Amino acid sequence: MKKERLLHEGKAKKVFLTEDANFVIQEFKDDATAFNNKKKGSIVNKGVVNNAISCKLFPYLQENGVPTHFVEKLSDRDMLCKYLDIIKIEVVVRNVAAGSLVRRYGFSEGAVLDDPIIELYLKDDDLDDPLMNEHHAIALGLASYSEIEILQAYAARINSLLKEFFAQRKLRLVDFKLEFGRHGEEILLGDEISPDTCRFWDLDTGEKMDKDRFRFDLGGVEDAYAEVRHRVLGED
Ligand code: UDP
């Protein structure tokens, strides 16, 4: 399958149409942004690392009953995916307080949440991705109530699977963001799962191993991404 035409260029990936309307190719870039594009830069080799990590995690979820858009890894930076009509809802799952949960509600960073918190955000950069609930999503015509229930059920299942997966690799899954889309009658998990979209803290030292190192200029960004890849793939 070859790239035919650029369909969409996002902050971290390009999406290309292929000769078959059912499939697209995601190309992972090194570009990094934070705070809704206010901070821009690049992380050397990030595209290669995030593609490798995603290409391990999507099949793992798929094998455990979560339908995803992943088809196969084509090259270092390219992933073949099923075409998705993206649902403009970002689903965030949190196990430990960090980021906007701390800023918005006053949790202490690192506070363990007895039950995971699932949040919905409107996927709209012009509006700064506002937090919303299912009533907003339905009123905006983004999804039906039953579809939102499906997204939340998948998000909870993905969280259980990923928490366990990362714990075995000495990483604490603090929080993460998911995107879903429609492919025919099906709802599939889309986008990527990587240190760009998840917070990981080293299980023993608590060291941040994700995009927070770029967001807050903590240094060692490339090394942290490479270490996550190493632990996820168990090689190199
Ligand atoms: N996240 C993301 N894309 C976004 C917003 C958030 O991938 O547009 C991820 C982020 O990396 C973190 C989780 O979702 O793992 C929760 O992010 P939070 O709401 O705390 O936002 P932040 O503090 O990063 O602005």
Side-chain angles (χ1 to χ4, degrees):
M1 206 75 75
K2 289 199 310 289
K3 297 171 186 170
E4 295 271 313
R5 187 167 68 79
L6 183 66
L7 173 67
H8 172 75
E9 177 153 9
K11 287 171 263 186
K13 293 185 293 299
K14 293 180 185 173
V15 181
F16 292 89
L17 296 171
T18 65
E19 64 266 33
D20 185 331
N22 282 310
F23 298 102
V24 296
I25 294 172
Q26 284 196 149
E27 179 189 316
F28 287 73
K29 306 190 291 182
D30 288 350
D31 300 349
T33 65
F35 311 118
N36 195 21
N37 261 326
K38 288 187 250 315
K39 182 179 171 86
K40 288 189 185 159
S42 94
I43 299 172
V44 177
N45 220 32
K46 173 171 82 76
V48 174
V49 171
N50 285 359
N51 188 31
I53 293 171
S54 293
C55 286
K56 172 81 178 180
L57 295 176
F58 278 105
Y60 164 69
L61 294 174
Q62 191 99 28
E63 283 155 21
N64 285 285
V66 179
T68 83
H69 70 156
F70 176 83
V71 179
E72 62 172 328
K73 185 176 187 208
L74 293 177
S75 68
D76 268 2
R77 289 179 184 272
D78 292 344
M79 180 198 287
L80 182 64
C81 303
K82 293 181 185 169
Y83 173 85
L84 288 185
D85 180 17
I86 289 288
I87 298 172
K88 294 205 171 305
I89 300 173
E90 296 190 351
V91 182
V92 167
V93 184
R94 302 176 180 279
N95 298 305
V96 177
S100 70
L101 196 73
V102 170
R103 296 196 298 275
R104 195 174 283 128
Y105 300 104
F107 283 96
S108 309
E109 187 180 57
V112 175
L113 306 167
D114 289 338
D115 290 308
I117 294 178
I118 298 182
E119 297 174 333
L120 307 179
Y121 292 84
L122 173 60
K123 183 173 160 60
D124 185 330
D125 284 342
D126 293 341
L127 295 174
D128 247 339
D129 293 352
L131 181 64
M132 64 178 178
N133 65 30
E134 56 269 45
H135 300 285
H136 298 97
I138 293 164
L140 287 165
L142 305 178
S144 67
Y145 186 75
S146 58
E147 285 178 324
I148 294 168
E149 281 191 322
I150 291 170
L151 302 191
Q152 292 183 330
Y154 281 151
R157 171 139 188 82
I158 292 164
N159 185 43
S160 306
L161 290 165
L162 291 183
K163 245 190 343 193
E164 166 76 18
F165 180 95
F166 285 109
Q168 286 170 1
R169 287 151 179 86
K170 295 272 184 198
L171 288 170
R172 194 163 179 210
L173 180 61
V174 171
D175 58 31
F176 58 98
K177 184 262 303 182
L178 301 170
E179 295 186 24
F180 296 87
R182 303 183 184 88
H183 181 82
E185 300 295 296
E186 281 183 302
I187 291 185
L188 306 179
L189 176 66
D191 196 44
E192 66 179 280
I193 305 175
S194 71
D196 271 14
T197 63
C198 305
R199 284 194 172 94
F200 301 116
W201 295 351
D202 182 272
L203 210 52
D204 295 327
T205 65
E207 194 187 346
K208 292 178 168 54
M209 312 272 292
D210 54 61
K211 200 163 88 171
D212 274 351
R213 302 205 74 82
F214 168 78
R215 289 188 186 99
F216 303 111
D217 298 317
L218 300 178
V221 189
E222 280 87 0
D223 287 349
Y225 276 63
E227 178 60 22
V228 173
R229 172 169 78 167
H230 175 64
R231 293 195 198 179
V232 165
L233 300 188
E235 58 189 36
D236 287 348

